[in-house]
Amino acid sequence: MAHGPAKGIGRWLFTTNHKDIGTLYLWFSFAMFLLGGTFAMVIRAELFQPGMQLIKPEFFNQMTTMHGLVMVFGAIMPAFVGLANWLIPMMIGAPDMALPRMNNLSFWILPFGFSLLASTLFMEGGGPNFGWTFYAPLSTTYAPSTVNYFIFGMHIIGASSIMGSINIIATVLNMRAPGMTLMKMPMFVWTWLITAFLLIAVMPVLAGAVTMMLMDINFGTSFFDAAGGGDPVLFQHVFWFFGHPEVYIIVLPAFGVISHIIPTFSRKPLFGYSSMVYATASIAFLSFIVWAHHMFLVGMPIGGELYFMYATMLIAVPTAAKVFNWISTMFRGSISYETPMLFAIAFVVLFTIGGFTGLMLAIAAADVQYHDSYFVVAHFHYVMVAGAVFSGTAAVYYWLPKWCGRMYNETMGKVQFWISFIGFNITFFPQHFLGLAGMPRRYADYALQFSDWNMISSIGAFIYGASQLLFIFNVIRTIRSGTPVSEPKTWEGAEGLEWTVATPAPYHTFATPPEVK
Ligand code: CU
């Protein structure tokens, strides 16, 4: 058999190189980010003023659903798996991921899963219209005829995540270079190790939920149908047992990214490394026992409501420990504000705002008012967009010179930061007011008194959307014609902080199989 890299499309189809697969994940995720963003633009254009103008309410429901599904499962999760592929082997001194062929498979089933999902938009019956949480009976008894495509798509996406997680755990636990003990691992590796365990624990629960849907719809069972002895509330319990940890699956690797960027640009080591590790682990544990804070209105016993309320509030403790550690890292540091640092600081600020509104939503008595309002939409976009998109953007600016050997345009990066920071806040801050004033989420139209803030929110969304075009332009320009950089002096003063172990394999070669220890 001939050795050496395959050429053309074959290189990407058959690659087992963690860097190639990381690149595939990142581009796929960015494509999904633009697709999900396009859906968001459609939503905000329709909500620009009261009354129906651009689309039909039925299509609006499909847009909100697909926006959520594509962003969560298509854009955010693959982005961090892509970062994991690129960074974890290099950070722990491994030649590649532990299971390179499975790595290839876990990426390449993703485009098929999303093609299944997106193709329903063009089918008779239309795409999923039941919200990204797909509550029964909307997603079972009243589902569009294409719902089986959705179920199959979710299964594929879940299988991909589980395989990716197995790979990360196997790599981190078995392939660290000599001397790289667990408590010396870079924070990004730690956060991903813990995230991978979360994924393996909850993705099968999601698979169970969609399988029960499949049975109810096609095989006459009634898990979620009261007429047959089932209960729709069961769906919510199963879904949120997956759904709440999912939030931390998204945000823990982001914590890892921020824990690299802030020390570098503060020119100080990370403050409280071991407390960061323990805080990450306790957030992960707590994320399993708070799920019903999404369900305060289903009629739980008061004891249950109180338990879920206090348990949820407990998560603020380790999260605050992290925020204090980042601030302590910056304290008396020699800070400079390059693009990755700007995005990282914005992450800390915006995520903290989202955390505080999360505490408000955790109050069971108050949730009666907040529930299913735009306050919730504002809250989780502060957590998710700051948590995932700002940190993901920071990560790309921070590591892009490492990946392609070329420097991005700093001025353009800073301009993009300020446009997106301002655009983001104009979009989502007014949604707090809309929610408190009583505007419900997931409706294609609204009462006249909500007009002003909706128009402002839409204008912000268009600004935020446009800033992403600047991002993609800067990235492509860097890869094609950026100024070559010579590592490790990517940033003055950053030596020794950025990479604990750096033995990268040459980019275009297949890595040698790992030795069995
Ligand atoms: Cu939750």
Side-chain angles (χ1 to χ4, degrees):
M1 194 187 129
H3 286 276
K7 294 276 188 306
I9 187 76
R11 167 179 164 206
W12 298 104
L13 275 175
F14 305 127
T15 180
T16 51
N17 180 315
H18 70 100
K19 297 179 181 177
D20 280 356
I21 295 172
T23 303
L24 287 169
Y25 265 110
L26 289 171
W27 278 115
F28 175 77
S29 134
F30 201 74
M32 288 292 113
F33 180 56
L34 293 179
L35 181 68
T38 309
F39 296 152
M41 294 300 111
V42 173
I43 293 168
R44 282 320 317 173
E46 177 55 51
L47 295 175
F48 188 76
Q49 52 186 19
M52 297 305 300
Q53 35 268 324
L54 300 169
I55 54 177
K56 295 200 164 64
E58 171 54 27
F59 189 65
F60 184 90
N61 292 343
Q62 296 173 33
M63 286 291 98
T64 52
T65 306
M66 290 294 280
H67 167 72
L69 290 171
V70 165
M71 285 305 197
V72 168
F73 297 104
I76 300 172
M77 291 171 66
F80 286 109
V81 181
L83 290 175
N85 260 292
W86 256 103
L87 300 171
I88 288 179
M90 293 197 288
M91 284 178 169
I92 62 171
D96 202 310
M97 297 295 279
L99 307 156
R101 289 193 175 86
M102 193 170 80
N103 204 12
N104 175 296
L105 182 64
S106 60
F107 171 76
W108 276 111
I109 60 174
L110 265 186
F112 293 97
F114 277 93
S115 304
L116 272 177
L117 196 60
S119 62
T120 58
L121 284 175
F122 304 100
M123 292 180 195
E124 202 180 326
N129 58 0
F130 29 67
W132 87 274
T133 53
F134 49 102
Y135 279 6
L138 268 182
S139 62
T140 51
T141 314
Y142 306 106
S145 54
T146 58
V147 67
N148 288 321
Y149 289 85
F150 161 82
I151 291 172
F152 192 33
M154 294 308 286
H155 269 303
I156 292 177
I157 293 159
S160 162
S161 287
I162 292 170
M163 285 194 286
S165 307
I166 292 171
N167 217 341
I168 287 167
I169 293 173
T171 307
V172 174
L173 294 187
N174 296 311
M175 295 181 62
R176 299 192 309 282
M180 176 58 78
T181 57
L182 284 176
M183 287 311 277
K184 281 184 182 162
M185 292 196 309
M187 270 312 293
F188 181 74
V189 182
W190 254 119
T191 53
W192 241 119
L193 179 64
I194 293 167
T195 302
F197 279 105
L198 275 184
L199 270 166
I200 288 183
V202 301
M203 285 320 255
V205 179
L206 175 72
V210 288
T211 305
M212 284 189 271
M213 278 172 61
L214 184 81
M215 301 292 284
D216 271 14
I217 295 165
N218 300 291
F219 303 116
T221 60
S222 36
F223 288 105
F224 308 131
D225 185 1
D231 187 351
V233 175
L234 169 68
F235 179 88
Q236 296 190 27
H237 279 293
V238 178
F239 179 84
W240 285 114
F241 191 80
F242 148 80
H244 188 83
E246 169 69 18
V247 174
Y248 293 92
I249 287 164
I250 288 170
V251 97
L252 290 184
F255 288 167
V257 166
I258 300 306
S259 302
H260 284 255
I261 293 176
I262 286 184
T264 300
F265 294 99
S266 305
R267 291 163 184 82
K268 274 174 64 190
L270 182 68
F271 183 90
Y273 170 87
S274 49
S275 69
M276 281 301 213
V277 173
Y278 298 132
T280 310
S282 46
I283 291 172
F285 170 74
L286 289 172
S287 76
F288 282 113
I289 56 169
V290 298
W291 74 92
H293 61 207
H294 298 270
M295 307 164 49
F296 283 139
L297 297 194
V298 299
M300 263 187 287
I302 191 78
E305 299 214 352
L306 286 173
Y307 162 72
F308 282 109
M309 171 169 122
Y310 290 128
T312 303
M313 291 174 167
L314 216 53
I315 298 188
V317 177
T319 312
K322 281 177 162 293
V323 172
F324 283 127
N325 280 345
W326 290 321
I327 292 171
S328 305
T329 306
M330 286 190 276
F331 182 65
R332 290 193 166 173
S334 173
I335 305 177
S336 60
Y337 297 96
E338 283 89 343
T339 311
M341 185 62 160
L342 289 174
F343 275 100
I345 294 174
F347 166 92
V348 177
V349 173
L350 299 177
F351 188 82
T352 304
I353 294 175
F356 276 125
T357 53
L359 274 176
M360 292 169 70
L361 287 162
I363 304 168
D367 188 65
V368 178
Q369 296 298 318
Y370 301 135
H371 204 90
D372 267 341
S373 77
Y374 259 82
F375 191 85
V376 179
V377 178
H379 154 71
F380 72 72
H381 280 93
Y382 266 84
V383 178
M384 291 289 98
V385 180
V389 185
F390 275 62
S391 69
T393 312
V396 169
Y397 278 122
Y398 184 60
W399 279 300
L400 189 61
K402 180 86 182 173
W403 296 336
C404 70
R406 292 173 187 278
M407 192 62 187
Y408 62 87
N409 184 311
E410 190 69 64
T411 311
M412 210 190 297
K414 284 178 179 165
V415 169
Q416 186 221 330
F417 167 76
W418 285 110
I419 297 177
S420 56
F421 183 77
I422 292 167
F424 169 81
N425 283 293
I426 296 177
T427 312
F428 292 108
F429 211 81
Q431 294 185 4
H432 292 113
F433 311 146
L434 286 168
L436 292 177
M439 179 171 165
R441 64 192 283 205
R442 291 176 171 161
Y443 279 82
D445 198 7
Y446 48 82
L448 287 176
Q449 70 265 30
F450 304 128
S451 303
D452 291 352
W453 288 124
N454 266 298
M455 188 177 282
I456 290 169
S457 178
S458 289
I459 291 169
F462 301 144
I463 295 172
Y464 184 63
S467 75
Q468 303 306 326
L469 301 177
L470 209 55
F471 181 43
I472 191 169
F473 179 76
N474 204 352
V475 168
I476 292 176
R477 194 192 146 280
T478 307
I479 295 169
R480 294 173 69 142
S481 61
T483 322
V485 290
S486 56
E487 54 171 337
K489 290 183 181 170
T490 314
W491 290 282
E492 213 182 316
E495 295 90 2
L497 286 175
E498 192 193 356
W499 297 98
T500 315
V501 176
T503 45
Y507 181 62
H508 283 291
T509 57
F510 285 71
T512 41
E515 284 174 47
V516 180
K517 286 186 193 122

